[in-house]
Amino acid sequence: MTTGAARGSSPQFFERLYQNHSDPWHFAGSAYERGRYAAILHMLGRAHYGSAFEPGCSIGELSVQLAPRCDRLLATDVAPSAVARATQRCQPWPQVRTQVADLQQQIPTDYFDLILLCEIGYYFESTALCHIAQQLAQRLNPGGELLASHWLGHSADHRLHGDDVHGVLHRCLPLRWQRGSREPMFRIDAWER
Ligand SMILES: C[S@@+](CC[C@H](N)C(=O)[O-])C[C@H]1O[C@@H](n2cnc3c(N)ncnc32)[C@H](O)[C@@H]1O
């Protein structure tokens, strides 16, 4: 199930990436990422959410698109340089709170109506991901949604392939699966509490 020994994925690995490149995955300029964000936003079950949580927010490109649909959005990342950029990017949306946090160490104690798990699941071993997923499910309000989206390519930095991430989520989330889509390059699945 693992993709082998991942090259990186420690907090230091991600911080170094952002120190060397302001947008390592070209989230801001890529047509593919624009299409992926549109597909994620289209897959959401509601037009508006009270509170949302987006771990692994990177430089805030998805956060700024999600912000107008939320009363409150907590956007976190393990890399301080990414969070600094996300903070700047989200400045026009006072409902966004950004924070440096490692999802494997810190699950928020708040309750959310939406949790977005996008392109982050493959940085964990399957046991750790399962534990994280179960903890996240406990932070959802009744009727709350968890939406996961992952790229289906291969990377030396990944511990799990995107399909395996979604397999672990299907197995471990104590939530009702609602809908999903599998595109050539990424997949999306959404569950509800
Ligand atoms: C590929 S980017 C995805 C960004 C965004 N979610 C998206 O879909 O466009 C993965 C992000 O997850 C962050 N990350 C990796 N491991 C993390 C962890 N344990 N806790 C919080 N963030 C983490 C990285 O720093 C990076 O910014």
Side-chain angles (χ1 to χ4, degrees), residues 9 14-15 18 25 27 33 36-37 40 54-59 61-62 76-79 82 101-105 117-120 122-124 149:
S9 73
F14 290 108
E15 177 56 19
Y18 286 103
W25 288 275
F27 291 133
E33 300 296 349
R36 180 172 68 86
Y37 292 148
I40 290 168
E54 185 201 0
C57 67
S58 182
I59 58 171
E61 284 301 319
L62 180 55
T76 65
D77 201 284
V78 76
D102 182 339
L103 187 62
Q104 198 161 350
Q105 308 295 331
L117 209 58
C118 295
E119 309 257 323
I120 180 174
Y122 23 51
Y123 299 116
F124 306 106
S149 165

Short mmCIF file of all heavy atoms in Angstrom, two decimals, residues 9 14-15 18 25 27 33 36-37 40 54-59 61-62 76-79 82 101-105 117-120 122-124 149, ligand 1:
data_model
loop_
_atom_site.label_atom_id
_atom_site.label_comp_id
_atom_site.label_asym_id
_atom_site.label_seq_id
_atom_site.Cartn_x
_atom_site.Cartn_y
_atom_site.Cartn_z
N SER A 9 8.72 14.58 3.73
CA SER A 9 7.40 14.76 4.33
C SER A 9 7.47 15.08 5.80
O SER A 9 6.46 15.10 6.46
CB SER A 9 6.42 13.63 4.03
OG SER A 9 6.73 12.49 4.76
N PHE A 14 8.92 20.24 4.21
CA PHE A 14 7.98 21.18 3.59
C PHE A 14 8.44 22.62 3.75
O PHE A 14 8.32 23.41 2.82
CB PHE A 14 6.57 20.97 4.17
CG PHE A 14 5.97 19.68 3.72
CD1 PHE A 14 5.83 18.61 4.61
CD2 PHE A 14 5.57 19.50 2.41
CE1 PHE A 14 5.30 17.40 4.19
CE2 PHE A 14 5.04 18.29 1.97
CZ PHE A 14 4.90 17.24 2.86
N GLU A 15 8.99 22.95 4.92
CA GLU A 15 9.45 24.32 5.13
C GLU A 15 10.57 24.65 4.13
O GLU A 15 10.58 25.73 3.54
CB GLU A 15 9.91 24.50 6.58
CG GLU A 15 10.49 25.87 6.91
CD GLU A 15 9.56 27.05 6.60
OE1 GLU A 15 8.34 26.86 6.45
OE2 GLU A 15 10.08 28.19 6.48
N TYR A 18 9.17 25.48 0.69
CA TYR A 18 8.60 26.83 0.58
C TYR A 18 9.67 27.91 0.67
O TYR A 18 9.50 29.01 0.14
CB TYR A 18 7.53 27.06 1.65
CG TYR A 18 6.24 26.32 1.33
CD1 TYR A 18 5.90 25.14 1.98
CD2 TYR A 18 5.37 26.79 0.36
CE1 TYR A 18 4.73 24.45 1.69
CE2 TYR A 18 4.20 26.12 0.04
CZ TYR A 18 3.88 24.95 0.71
OH TYR A 18 2.73 24.28 0.41
N TRP A 25 4.13 23.95 -5.91
CA TRP A 25 3.29 23.14 -6.80
C TRP A 25 2.58 24.00 -7.86
O TRP A 25 1.67 23.54 -8.53
CB TRP A 25 2.25 22.34 -6.00
CG TRP A 25 2.85 21.21 -5.22
CD1 TRP A 25 3.12 19.95 -5.69
CD2 TRP A 25 3.26 21.21 -3.85
NE1 TRP A 25 3.66 19.18 -4.69
CE2 TRP A 25 3.76 19.92 -3.55
CE3 TRP A 25 3.26 22.18 -2.83
CZ2 TRP A 25 4.24 19.58 -2.28
CZ3 TRP A 25 3.74 21.84 -1.57
CH2 TRP A 25 4.22 20.55 -1.31
N PHE A 27 0.37 26.32 -7.53
CA PHE A 27 -1.07 26.38 -7.29
C PHE A 27 -1.70 27.65 -7.86
O PHE A 27 -2.83 27.64 -8.32
CB PHE A 27 -1.37 26.33 -5.78
CG PHE A 27 -1.06 25.00 -5.15
CD1 PHE A 27 -0.34 24.91 -3.97
CD2 PHE A 27 -1.49 23.82 -5.75
CE1 PHE A 27 -0.06 23.68 -3.39
CE2 PHE A 27 -1.21 22.58 -5.19
CZ PHE A 27 -0.50 22.52 -4.00
N GLU A 33 -4.63 23.15 -11.66
CA GLU A 33 -5.03 23.41 -10.26
C GLU A 33 -6.35 24.20 -10.22
O GLU A 33 -7.19 23.95 -9.37
CB GLU A 33 -3.93 24.16 -9.50
CG GLU A 33 -2.61 23.42 -9.43
CD GLU A 33 -2.65 22.10 -8.67
OE1 GLU A 33 -3.67 21.81 -7.99
OE2 GLU A 33 -1.67 21.33 -8.76
N ARG A 36 -8.98 21.70 -10.74
CA ARG A 36 -9.12 20.85 -9.55
C ARG A 36 -9.89 21.60 -8.46
O ARG A 36 -10.81 21.05 -7.84
CB ARG A 36 -7.73 20.43 -9.05
CG ARG A 36 -7.77 19.55 -7.81
CD ARG A 36 -6.39 19.02 -7.50
NE ARG A 36 -5.46 20.03 -7.05
CZ ARG A 36 -5.33 20.44 -5.79
NH1 ARG A 36 -6.07 19.89 -4.84
NH2 ARG A 36 -4.44 21.37 -5.46
N TYR A 37 -9.53 22.87 -8.24
CA TYR A 37 -10.24 23.64 -7.21
C TYR A 37 -11.72 23.79 -7.58
O TYR A 37 -12.60 23.69 -6.72
CB TYR A 37 -9.61 25.03 -7.03
CG TYR A 37 -8.22 25.02 -6.43
CD1 TYR A 37 -7.27 25.98 -6.76
CD2 TYR A 37 -7.84 24.04 -5.51
CE1 TYR A 37 -5.99 25.96 -6.22
CE2 TYR A 37 -6.57 24.02 -4.95
CZ TYR A 37 -5.65 24.99 -5.32
OH TYR A 37 -4.40 24.96 -4.77
N ILE A 40 -13.51 20.59 -6.77
CA ILE A 40 -13.69 20.42 -5.31
C ILE A 40 -14.85 21.28 -4.84
O ILE A 40 -15.76 20.82 -4.13
CB ILE A 40 -12.38 20.82 -4.57
CG1 ILE A 40 -11.29 19.78 -4.84
CG2 ILE A 40 -12.63 21.00 -3.08
CD1 ILE A 40 -9.89 20.20 -4.40
N GLU A 54 -9.37 23.54 7.01
CA GLU A 54 -8.58 23.12 5.85
C GLU A 54 -7.13 22.89 6.27
O GLU A 54 -6.31 23.81 6.22
CB GLU A 54 -8.65 24.20 4.75
CG GLU A 54 -7.96 23.78 3.47
CD GLU A 54 -7.58 24.95 2.57
OE1 GLU A 54 -7.82 26.13 2.93
OE2 GLU A 54 -6.98 24.67 1.51
N PRO A 55 -6.80 21.66 6.71
CA PRO A 55 -5.40 21.39 7.04
C PRO A 55 -4.58 21.23 5.76
O PRO A 55 -5.09 20.77 4.74
CB PRO A 55 -5.47 20.07 7.82
CG PRO A 55 -6.74 19.41 7.37
CD PRO A 55 -7.68 20.49 6.93
N GLY A 56 -3.30 21.62 5.81
CA GLY A 56 -2.44 21.53 4.62
C GLY A 56 -2.85 22.58 3.60
O GLY A 56 -2.91 22.30 2.40
N CYS A 57 -3.10 23.80 4.08
CA CYS A 57 -3.66 24.85 3.21
C CYS A 57 -2.64 25.44 2.25
O CYS A 57 -3.00 26.22 1.36
CB CYS A 57 -4.27 25.96 4.05
SG CYS A 57 -3.03 26.90 4.99
N SER A 58 -1.36 25.10 2.46
CA SER A 58 -0.31 25.65 1.60
C SER A 58 -0.35 27.18 1.61
O SER A 58 -0.51 27.79 2.67
CB SER A 58 -0.41 25.07 0.19
OG SER A 58 0.62 25.55 -0.63
N ILE A 59 -0.29 27.79 0.44
CA ILE A 59 -0.20 29.26 0.37
C ILE A 59 -1.59 29.91 0.30
O ILE A 59 -1.72 31.09 0.01
CB ILE A 59 0.67 29.70 -0.82
CG1 ILE A 59 0.11 29.14 -2.14
CG2 ILE A 59 2.11 29.24 -0.62
CD1 ILE A 59 0.78 29.71 -3.39
N GLU A 61 -4.35 29.18 -1.70
CA GLU A 61 -5.06 29.35 -2.98
C GLU A 61 -6.48 28.77 -2.94
O GLU A 61 -7.43 29.37 -3.45
CB GLU A 61 -4.27 28.71 -4.12
CG GLU A 61 -3.09 29.52 -4.58
CD GLU A 61 -3.46 30.91 -5.07
OE1 GLU A 61 -4.47 31.07 -5.78
OE2 GLU A 61 -2.72 31.86 -4.72
N LEU A 62 -6.63 27.60 -2.30
CA LEU A 62 -7.97 27.03 -2.16
C LEU A 62 -8.72 27.77 -1.05
O LEU A 62 -9.93 28.01 -1.16
CB LEU A 62 -7.87 25.53 -1.86
CG LEU A 62 -9.17 24.74 -1.67
CD1 LEU A 62 -10.11 24.91 -2.88
CD2 LEU A 62 -8.88 23.25 -1.44
N THR A 76 -4.69 25.64 8.10
CA THR A 76 -3.42 25.37 8.78
C THR A 76 -2.44 24.68 7.84
O THR A 76 -2.84 24.03 6.87
CB THR A 76 -3.63 24.45 10.01
OG1 THR A 76 -4.07 23.17 9.56
CG2 THR A 76 -4.64 25.03 10.98
N ASP A 77 -1.17 24.81 8.17
CA ASP A 77 -0.14 24.08 7.42
C ASP A 77 1.05 23.88 8.36
O ASP A 77 1.26 24.66 9.28
CB ASP A 77 0.30 24.86 6.17
CG ASP A 77 0.95 23.96 5.14
OD1 ASP A 77 2.14 23.57 5.35
OD2 ASP A 77 0.28 23.59 4.15
N VAL A 78 1.80 22.83 8.07
CA VAL A 78 2.95 22.51 8.91
C VAL A 78 4.14 23.43 8.60
O VAL A 78 5.04 23.56 9.42
CB VAL A 78 3.31 21.02 8.73
CG1 VAL A 78 4.04 20.77 7.42
CG2 VAL A 78 4.08 20.47 9.91
N ALA A 79 4.13 24.08 7.44
CA ALA A 79 5.27 24.91 7.02
C ALA A 79 5.00 26.39 7.33
O ALA A 79 4.09 26.99 6.73
CB ALA A 79 5.53 24.73 5.52
N ALA A 82 4.68 28.74 4.33
CA ALA A 82 3.41 28.61 3.60
C ALA A 82 2.31 29.36 4.34
O ALA A 82 1.51 30.08 3.73
CB ALA A 82 3.04 27.13 3.47
N ALA A 101 0.41 24.34 12.08
CA ALA A 101 0.04 23.17 12.88
C ALA A 101 0.32 21.90 12.09
O ALA A 101 0.10 21.85 10.87
CB ALA A 101 -1.44 23.23 13.28
N ASP A 102 0.81 20.90 12.79
CA ASP A 102 1.06 19.58 12.20
C ASP A 102 -0.19 18.73 12.44
O ASP A 102 -0.54 18.45 13.59
CB ASP A 102 2.29 18.97 12.87
CG ASP A 102 2.67 17.61 12.28
OD1 ASP A 102 1.81 16.96 11.66
OD2 ASP A 102 3.83 17.21 12.46
N LEU A 103 -0.84 18.31 11.37
CA LEU A 103 -2.10 17.57 11.50
C LEU A 103 -1.91 16.26 12.28
O LEU A 103 -2.84 15.79 12.93
CB LEU A 103 -2.67 17.28 10.11
CG LEU A 103 -4.06 16.64 10.07
CD1 LEU A 103 -5.11 17.56 10.70
CD2 LEU A 103 -4.46 16.29 8.64
N GLN A 104 -0.70 15.71 12.22
CA GLN A 104 -0.47 14.44 12.91
C GLN A 104 -0.33 14.65 14.43
O GLN A 104 -0.52 13.73 15.21
CB GLN A 104 0.79 13.76 12.35
CG GLN A 104 0.83 12.30 12.70
CD GLN A 104 1.77 11.50 11.82
OE1 GLN A 104 2.28 11.99 10.81
NE2 GLN A 104 2.02 10.27 12.19
N GLN A 105 -0.01 15.89 14.81
CA GLN A 105 0.20 16.19 16.25
C GLN A 105 -0.97 16.94 16.86
O GLN A 105 -1.17 16.88 18.07
CB GLN A 105 1.47 17.05 16.43
CG GLN A 105 2.72 16.50 15.78
CD GLN A 105 3.16 15.19 16.39
OE1 GLN A 105 2.92 14.94 17.57
NE2 GLN A 105 3.76 14.31 15.60
N LEU A 117 -9.80 17.77 3.12
CA LEU A 117 -8.54 17.04 3.23
C LEU A 117 -8.00 16.90 1.81
O LEU A 117 -8.25 15.90 1.13
CB LEU A 117 -8.85 15.68 3.85
CG LEU A 117 -7.77 14.99 4.67
CD1 LEU A 117 -7.33 15.86 5.84
CD2 LEU A 117 -8.29 13.66 5.19
N CYS A 118 -7.31 17.92 1.34
CA CYS A 118 -6.92 17.95 -0.06
C CYS A 118 -5.42 17.87 -0.24
O CYS A 118 -4.68 18.75 0.23
CB CYS A 118 -7.46 19.22 -0.73
SG CYS A 118 -9.25 19.24 -0.78
N GLU A 119 -4.97 16.83 -0.91
CA GLU A 119 -3.56 16.66 -1.27
C GLU A 119 -2.66 16.63 -0.05
O GLU A 119 -1.55 17.18 -0.08
CB GLU A 119 -3.12 17.81 -2.20
CG GLU A 119 -4.04 18.02 -3.37
CD GLU A 119 -3.49 17.47 -4.67
OE1 GLU A 119 -2.29 17.56 -4.89
OE2 GLU A 119 -4.28 16.94 -5.45
N ILE A 120 -3.10 16.02 1.01
CA ILE A 120 -2.28 15.93 2.22
C ILE A 120 -2.21 14.49 2.74
O ILE A 120 -1.25 14.11 3.38
CB ILE A 120 -2.78 16.92 3.31
CG1 ILE A 120 -1.93 16.82 4.58
CG2 ILE A 120 -4.24 16.73 3.63
CD1 ILE A 120 -2.27 17.85 5.63
N TYR A 122 -1.50 11.72 1.43
CA TYR A 122 -0.41 10.82 1.03
C TYR A 122 0.90 11.07 1.75
O TYR A 122 1.88 10.38 1.52
CB TYR A 122 -0.17 10.76 -0.47
CG TYR A 122 -0.60 11.87 -1.35
CD1 TYR A 122 -0.26 13.19 -1.07
CD2 TYR A 122 -1.32 11.61 -2.50
CE1 TYR A 122 -0.64 14.20 -1.93
CE2 TYR A 122 -1.71 12.61 -3.36
CZ TYR A 122 -1.36 13.91 -3.07
OH TYR A 122 -1.73 14.91 -3.92
N TYR A 123 0.93 12.05 2.65
CA TYR A 123 2.14 12.28 3.43
C TYR A 123 2.17 11.49 4.73
O TYR A 123 3.09 11.65 5.53
CB TYR A 123 2.32 13.77 3.69
CG TYR A 123 2.44 14.56 2.41
CD1 TYR A 123 1.49 15.51 2.05
CD2 TYR A 123 3.49 14.31 1.53
CE1 TYR A 123 1.59 16.20 0.85
CE2 TYR A 123 3.60 15.01 0.34
CZ TYR A 123 2.64 15.95 0.00
OH TYR A 123 2.76 16.63 -1.19
N PHE A 124 1.15 10.66 4.96
CA PHE A 124 1.09 9.87 6.19
C PHE A 124 1.14 8.38 5.86
O PHE A 124 0.70 7.96 4.79
CB PHE A 124 -0.21 10.16 6.96
CG PHE A 124 -0.42 11.63 7.24
CD1 PHE A 124 -1.36 12.36 6.52
CD2 PHE A 124 0.33 12.26 8.20
CE1 PHE A 124 -1.54 13.72 6.76
CE2 PHE A 124 0.17 13.62 8.46
CZ PHE A 124 -0.78 14.34 7.74
N SER A 149 -9.66 15.12 -1.53
CA SER A 149 -9.29 15.13 -2.95
C SER A 149 -7.78 14.88 -3.06
O SER A 149 -7.00 15.53 -2.34
CB SER A 149 -9.67 16.47 -3.57
OG SER A 149 -9.02 16.62 -4.80
C1 LIG B 1 0.47 19.36 -2.04
S1 LIG B 1 0.15 20.64 -0.85
C2 LIG B 1 -1.63 20.77 -0.91
C3 LIG B 1 -2.17 22.16 -0.74
C4 LIG B 1 -3.69 22.33 -0.78
N1 LIG B 1 -4.36 21.53 0.22
C5 LIG B 1 -4.25 22.03 -2.13
O1 LIG B 1 -5.03 21.05 -2.27
O2 LIG B 1 -3.96 22.76 -3.08
C6 LIG B 1 0.37 19.76 0.67
C7 LIG B 1 0.50 20.70 1.85
O3 LIG B 1 0.35 19.91 3.05
C8 LIG B 1 1.25 20.41 4.02
N2 LIG B 1 1.48 19.35 5.00
C9 LIG B 1 2.17 18.21 4.84
N3 LIG B 1 2.16 17.47 5.96
C10 LIG B 1 1.42 18.17 6.86
C11 LIG B 1 1.04 17.94 8.21
N4 LIG B 1 1.45 16.84 8.86
N5 LIG B 1 0.27 18.85 8.83
C12 LIG B 1 -0.14 19.98 8.17
N6 LIG B 1 0.20 20.26 6.90
C13 LIG B 1 0.98 19.38 6.25
C14 LIG B 1 2.48 20.81 3.23
O4 LIG B 1 3.29 21.76 3.89
C15 LIG B 1 1.85 21.38 1.95
O5 LIG B 1 1.66 22.77 2.05
#
